[in-house]
Amino acid sequence: GRYHVIEGIMSPVNDDYGKKGLVSARHRIAMAKLALETSDWIRVDPWESEQETWTETVKVLRHHYNESLGLLQSKKEFMKNKRPIERSTEDSLSYQHSVLPELKLLCGADFLQTFKTPNLWKEEHIKEIVEKFGLVCISRAGSDPAQYINESDLLTKFQHNIFLVKEWIQNEISATQIRYALCRGLSVKYLVPDSVISYIAHHNIYTEESERKNEGDLLQPLKLHNTTVNPLND
């Protein structure tokens, strides 16, 4: 009862992120849209994937938050410009007492552990994410989010803005294992929607070759850190 959820945004990462086995964003966006055809509240937003290069998570959050503020302002202007006779009492009250939207980063509980990975995150970005936005962490087998929070002074300070969601029906489906199965020609029916399986087969996406993409490369944030620390690398 604390929040009214307006929507969920799925934001596929940019191709330049450099993760091993990361297929083209155009395919990931198309598959995500197919998977979400039956959802009336989650949408795919291609903005992050369409940038010239990889964009830091906090900047993606800023973008989507500013977009939501813009939509709210447009709605206010629309309500203000309507003739009084067209505005119902309910609309007027809603306009006068509207609250600012909040945007939170949804993740698996193991995501918290990545904050400890050297050079993967900037300390000021972690602070902005947990202080200004907040996290919603879904439990995962083998992960102890409460422990991750307790081991971090920063996360402990803002733990009031980190919501831990206990998944009572455990779902251990792994994207990595699904990709491995596809590479080996095994069936993944009932693990992903049939429309996505058809798309994968039609475009021959997940293969041994695609799984080797970016093999041996550093993730983009780690590359940027190396460049910052040692500018003579080039």
Side-chain angles (χ1 to χ4, degrees), residues 17 23 35 49 64 73 83 89 99 112 128 176 199 208 227:
Y17 183 54
V23 302
S49 66
H64 288 299
Q73 186 60 37
R83 289 182 299 171
T89 304
V99 295
L112 293 179
E128 183 174 345
T176 302
Y199 185 93
E208 289 185 11
T227 303

Side-chain angles (χ1 to χ4, degrees), residues 172-182 184 188:
E172 298 305 319
I173 290 179
S174 161
T176 302
Q177 293 301 325
I178 288 175
R179 294 199 309 273
Y180 287 167
L182 289 166
R184 295 164 185 163
V188 293

Side-chain angles (χ1 to χ4, degrees), residues 15-157:
D15 288 343
D16 282 349
Y17 183 54
K19 185 178 180 180
K20 182 177 178 293
L22 187 67
V23 302
S24 169
R26 70 182 181 89
H27 289 314
R28 289 182 281 115
I29 290 169
M31 289 186 289
K33 286 182 176 179
L34 288 171
L36 295 173
E37 282 180 331
T38 58
S39 175
D40 59 0
W41 70 281
I42 308 175
R43 65 179 175 86
V44 183
D45 193 302
W47 180 86
E48 180 180 355
S49 66
E50 292 174 346
Q51 301 310 294
E52 291 186 4
T53 186
W54 168 75
T55 305
E56 293 160 311
T57 301
V58 72
K59 294 178 181 177
V60 177
L61 289 170
R62 290 172 193 162
H63 164 77
H64 288 299
Y65 182 68
N66 289 332
E67 287 285 296
S68 66
L69 288 181
L71 288 173
L72 179 65
Q73 186 60 37
S74 297
K75 183 177 180 181
K76 284 185 175 181
E77 291 297 323
F78 175 75
M79 293 300 299
K80 189 191 301 183
N81 293 330
K82 287 182 80 173
R83 289 182 299 171
I85 196 170
E86 293 177 334
R87 281 204 298 249
S88 68
T89 304
E90 184 179 348
D91 285 341
S92 299
L93 289 173
S94 174
Y95 164 70
Q96 292 170 11
H97 299 289
S98 59
V99 295
L100 289 177
E102 292 189 30
L103 179 71
K104 301 198 179 297
L105 180 61
L106 177 68
C107 60
D110 52 339
F111 176 86
L112 293 179
Q113 199 171 19
T114 70
F115 287 154
K116 296 167 58 178
T117 304
N119 307 324
L120 187 62
W121 294 90
K122 294 177 182 176
E123 188 79 3
E124 61 268 27
H125 285 185
I126 298 175
K127 182 177 185 294
E128 183 174 345
I129 289 172
V130 295
E131 179 183 19
K132 179 179 177 181
F133 298 105
L135 297 173
V136 177
C137 301
I138 299 177
S139 62
R140 274 191 169 177
S143 296
D144 187 349
Q147 180 182 337
Y148 303 152
I149 293 172
N150 290 332
E151 291 174 349
S152 166
D153 292 339
L154 183 58
L155 296 184
T156 298
K157 181 179 179 181

Side-chain angles (χ1 to χ4, degrees), residues 10 12-13 15 21-35 44 46 49 195-207 210 213:
M10 185 177 287
V13 74
D15 288 343
L22 187 67
V23 302
S24 169
R26 70 182 181 89
H27 289 314
R28 289 182 281 115
I29 290 169
M31 289 186 289
K33 286 182 176 179
L34 288 171
V44 183
S49 66
S195 57
V196 176
I197 295 175
S198 297
Y199 185 93
I200 291 170
H202 179 73
H203 294 277
N204 192 30
I205 298 175
Y206 294 112
T207 62
S210 72
K213 185 177 180 181

